[in-house]
Amino acid sequence: DLEKAVALVTENRACLLCYERDFQTCHRNIVVKRISEITGQTVRNLGVRQGSARELAKKNDLIAANA
């Protein structure tokens, strides 16, 4: 519940995890925005910047094959 989440982030550092590549398309983004409005805390999104490990491995294999 939102009250428990607000209490948790007020007393401790917290991390809300999501599996969406783009955090803006995740429903958790709604929760984070609301918590931020209530507490005044800033949000830091850690998102994926260059693709998954599997995608990077495929890309590196293609680069090596073409070298």
Side-chain angles (χ1 to χ4, degrees), residues 1-10 16 27-39:
D1 105 8
L2 187 60
E3 289 179 14
K4 289 181 183 177
V6 168
L8 180 66
V9 302
T10 302
L16 184 61
H27 69 281
R28 288 173 183 85
N29 194 41
I30 298 167
V31 175
V32 169
K33 284 181 180 180
R34 188 68 185 115
I35 291 172
S36 179
E37 289 170 359
I38 293 169
T39 66

Side-chain angles (χ1 to χ4, degrees), residues 18-57:
C18 175
Y19 288 103
E20 295 290 340
R21 178 174 301 277
D22 180 0
F23 71 91
Q24 294 176 337
T25 62
C26 179
H27 69 281
R28 288 173 183 85
N29 194 41
I30 298 167
V31 175
V32 169
K33 284 181 180 180
R34 188 68 185 115
I35 291 172
S36 179
E37 289 170 359
I38 293 169
T39 66
Q41 294 177 335
T42 57
V43 175
R44 181 175 171 203
N45 292 294
L46 304 176
V48 176
R49 289 183 175 82
Q50 295 182 350
S52 69
R54 183 179 301 166
E55 290 168 345
L56 290 174

